[in-house]
Amino acid sequence: MAEKYLGIDVGGTELKYALMTEDEILEKDYIPTPKDSLDAFAEQIAQIYEKYKDQTKVIVMSAPGRINADTGFMFTSGLLGYANETNMADIIR
């Protein structure tokens, strides 16, 4: 069976997410992006992960701003000002 991934696209309006393999999207949906706090954002990511945790152990994420792809540190975060100067990879773990 092909490895499955949970892909999350962080936008200023929506968190779009999909369960996928390298070749196909198996399921997709979206929810509003939290505007108020990093805690609310982390909680939304956790809820998405809970939905798929038995199907995958890998999360891939794209987000606005300037991000170190090796460490997950967000120097800037676009409209999500609460995430500036944040190690998002540590928060998601």
Side-chain angles (χ1 to χ4, degrees):
M1 180 180 270
E3 177 123 24
K4 295 177 184 174
Y5 306 91
L6 175 57
I8 301 173
D9 177 33
V10 178
T13 305
E14 299 170 340
L15 294 174
K16 296 176 184 172
Y17 58 95
L19 182 66
M20 62 185 73
T21 67
E22 274 189 42
D23 299 318
E24 74 179 305
I25 294 173
L26 304 171
E27 185 176 330
K28 65 182 179 177
D29 205 350
Y30 65 92
I31 57 176
T33 301
K35 304 275 193 256
D36 52 349
S37 72
L38 187 56
D39 287 340
F41 177 83
E43 179 60 32
Q44 287 288 55
I45 298 297
Q47 287 178 13
I48 294 168
Y49 177 71
E50 282 295 315
K51 185 175 178 178
Y52 297 104
K53 71 179 183 180
D54 294 334
Q55 298 177 60
T56 183
K57 300 292 185 229
V58 178
I59 297 174
V60 295
M61 184 183 299
S62 66
R66 194 169 56 98
I67 305 165
N68 182 318
D70 294 324
T71 66
F73 188 84
M74 295 181 81
F75 296 95
T76 62
S77 59
L79 294 174
L80 308 177
Y82 56 75
N84 288 338
E85 299 291 322
T86 301
N87 191 320
M88 190 58 69
D90 287 347
I91 291 168
I92 299 303
R93 278 189 202 104

